[in-house]
Amino acid sequence: MATILITSATLVSAGHPLHMTSVDVLVKNGKIEQVGKKVKAEGKFEEIDGKGSYLSIGFFDLNVNFGEPGYETKEDIQTGTAASAAGGFTGVAVHPNTNPPIHSRSEVALIVNSAKGNLVDVFPVGALSKKREGNELAELYDMKITGAVAFTDGTRSVQQAGLMGRALLYAKGFDGLILSFAQDESIAGDNKMNEGEVSTYLGMKGIPNLAESIMISRDLFLAEYNESKIHFSTISTEESVDLIKKAKAKGIKVTCDVAAHNLLFTDEDVKSFDSHYKVSPPLRTKKDVKALLKGLKDGVIDAIVSQHTPQEIEFKDVEFQIAKDGIIASQTVLPMLLKAGLNVEQIVEKLAVNPRNILNLPVPKIEVGNEANLVLFSTDKKWTLDTKSNKSKSSNSPWFGQEVTGKVIAVLNNNQVIKNN
């Protein structure tokens, strides 16, 4: 990477002496050489104008799906990381919703080796059970020492309480982290959207909030009993926020995240039968969205994720009931969070700092001598997600073809730089 001088950007770094002030940052050979009010570069360098924009450590996504291995037609590591980088992410945790699943050291090694040399750091999340079938524990420790940062069955919720309890106890022995996707399938069934007034109006069977809260209650009891830590992925209901808030007050070692789209869209959007609004967990009510946003501001919800889930057109351009779940979201997380009303300090905390803390990964610092792990972003620049700007192989997004506000200008990591024109 050439010498880079970022000028006149507002630094967002809580605890830094220059937090929320205008700074210049000089990066040479991938390392931060100077941070200050007026920095002068010598010799040949590239200047990136940060006036009116914000500079922070790179975002980190706790929940992405890249398809590889097995579903490379949806996304592979190269296109997935390109989309992540365009969205401001310098690190991602790849979930095991693949074929075969990431359920042994072989698949973990494949991900780690395939992602080497990338601007975006890729961390595999191993499957909790073999083949993600929910019957027998996978090789958790083997995957951990090969590079897995956590364990989950991804979009398949663990239905056996005994298996979840054993996973929590076993992972505790080597400080592993279990991620729980909370949904009781006997209550959720094969239903397609949130249960409520809108599902009744549309004549569509719904998934009640109870399907999520009953599993969160179960897993909180299991975590408390085993004195282990647990993280809940993509919570979506008011009841879930309340349960986790009480658990934290009780001293249970629990963290959680929410998908960006669950902070903005509601089941009202499903009235159009647009399959781009079909996600798991489903879009809930305005009351739930309000509770999720309050949970974020109160510190109950620790992180925000993209839940980037690419699907080929033949799985989305069909009737709502038979369409696959998920949207591509890596590139639109920032616009969604700004539209939801979050400020830049909240965005950096929930999207850059806390995700790394949850996984016990080092949090980059914007200090002289440190590796440059940075994102420069604007809160008011507009752009359109279309075939030209989209970096993913797939296009299943409710934002596709629309102008959005909030743009990532540049991303620096691993002695590389990517700029969005």
Side-chain angles (χ1 to χ4, degrees):
M1 181 174 70
T3 301
I4 303 286
L5 177 63
I6 301 170
T7 59
S8 306
T10 300
L11 183 67
V12 186
S13 179
H16 196 287
L18 298 175
H19 175 55
M20 296 309 289
T21 66
S22 178
V23 299
D24 297 349
V25 177
L26 181 65
V27 178
K28 190 173 183 180
N29 296 324
K31 289 193 175 183
I32 298 172
E33 281 218 335
Q34 293 184 59
V35 181
K37 293 290 184 182
K38 293 291 180 184
V39 172
K40 290 186 178 180
E42 297 179 353
K44 189 178 180 181
F45 66 92
E46 180 182 358
E47 182 175 335
I48 300 176
D49 185 6
K51 189 174 183 181
S53 300
Y54 297 89
L55 183 71
S56 79
I57 62 171
F59 302 150
F60 190 102
D61 201 338
L62 277 173
N63 189 330
V64 296
N65 297 285
F66 285 169
E68 191 173 345
Y71 296 127
E72 289 87 354
T73 52
K74 301 176 188 289
E75 196 85 282
D76 58 37
I77 289 173
Q78 293 308 311
T79 58
T81 52
S84 294
F89 295 96
T90 57
V92 296
V94 183
H95 281 227
N97 302 306
T98 54
N99 185 26
I102 307 169
H103 66 159
S104 74
R105 64 190 305 163
S106 299
E107 293 84 24
V108 172
L110 170 69
I111 301 295
V112 170
N113 291 328
S114 297
K116 279 181 179 176
N118 205 297
L119 179 144
V120 178
D121 299 313
V122 178
F123 298 90
V125 176
L128 185 148
S129 68
K130 289 184 178 179
K131 299 182 180 179
R132 295 173 60 225
E133 291 176 346
N135 298 318
E136 184 182 354
L137 279 184
E139 303 166 5
L140 304 189
Y141 184 67
D142 274 0
M143 288 191 284
K144 169 80 171 181
I145 61 177
T146 311
V149 290
F151 308 96
T152 178
D153 274 352
T155 51
R156 294 181 186 172
S157 182
V158 177
Q159 300 302 296
Q160 289 189 28
L163 181 69
M164 177 59 84
R166 289 191 294 276
L168 288 166
L169 184 60
Y170 181 51
K172 175 185 172 184
F174 56 87
D175 198 29
L177 179 64
I178 300 297
L179 312 184
S180 170
F181 171 63
Q183 182 167 282
D184 188 310
E185 298 299 346
S186 66
I187 296 174
D190 192 31
N191 299 337
K192 309 300 180 183
M193 66 171 296
N194 178 62
E195 180 183 271
E197 290 182 12
V198 178
S199 65
T200 303
Y201 168 76
L202 296 176
M204 205 182 302
K205 290 182 179 179
I207 302 171
N209 286 17
L210 181 65
E212 180 171 299
S213 55
I214 203 167
M215 290 296 274
I216 284 184
S217 296
R218 183 201 76 175
D219 288 352
L220 285 172
F221 275 120
L222 291 170
E224 182 180 25
Y225 179 78
N226 290 292
E227 297 181 339
S228 58
K229 59 185 179 180
I230 190 168
H231 177 86
F232 290 101
S233 296
T234 61
I235 68 168
S236 66
T237 72
E238 180 183 25
E239 293 88 344
S240 297
V241 175
D242 187 53
L243 286 165
I244 293 168
K245 181 178 181 180
K246 289 175 180 175
K248 286 190 172 188
K250 196 176 179 181
I252 297 172
K253 293 177 281 190
V254 56
T255 53
C256 64
D257 66 57
V258 61
H261 49 258
N262 281 106
L263 298 172
L264 187 61
F265 302 126
T266 70
D267 57 359
E268 294 280 340
D269 293 295
V270 179
K271 285 182 177 179
S272 64
F273 290 103
D274 184 346
S275 64
H276 290 125
Y277 293 106
K278 189 180 181 188
V279 290
S280 180
L283 301 175
R284 303 290 186 180
T285 65
K286 290 179 181 177
K287 187 181 178 185
D288 290 307
V289 170
K290 185 178 179 181
L292 291 169
L293 288 168
K294 187 176 187 301
L296 276 170
K297 292 169 185 175
D298 292 347
V300 178
I301 300 176
D302 304 275
I304 300 168
V305 301
S306 75
Q307 202 187 23
H308 178 80
T309 307
Q311 300 285 4
E312 300 97 324
I313 190 169
E314 58 264 33
F315 294 117
K316 277 295 188 179
D317 192 15
V318 291
E319 293 86 350
F320 189 92
Q321 288 88 336
I322 62 173
K324 295 284 189 181
D325 296 324
I327 65 173
I328 56 166
S330 294
Q331 291 181 243
T332 53
V333 169
L334 177 63
M336 280 194 278
L337 298 187
L338 291 169
K339 194 172 179 66
L342 274 70
N343 62 43
V344 292
E345 290 175 280
Q346 292 167 334
I347 290 171
V348 171
E349 178 192 7
K350 306 295 184 181
L351 209 59
V353 179
N354 286 1
R356 291 180 168 96
N357 285 332
I358 289 167
L359 293 178
N360 200 26
L361 295 173
V363 178
K365 295 185 183 299
I366 305 177
E367 297 176 353
V368 173
N370 285 16
E371 297 290 332
N373 187 324
L374 306 168
V375 58
L376 180 69
F377 62 96
S378 166
T379 58
D380 52 22
K381 284 190 176 181
K382 299 180 185 296
W383 63 284
T384 301
L385 179 66
D386 53 22
T387 52
K388 184 178 179 182
S389 61
N390 181 34
K391 305 298 183 185
S392 172
K393 281 187 178 181
S394 300
S395 58
N396 52 303
S397 168
W399 294 110
F400 212 84
Q402 295 186 38
E403 186 179 69
V404 295
T405 302
K407 183 176 182 179
V408 171
I409 298 166
V411 181
L412 291 77
N413 190 36
N414 294 334
N415 200 15
Q416 299 174 55
V417 60
I418 290 176
K419 293 183 290 181
N420 288 333
N421 297 322

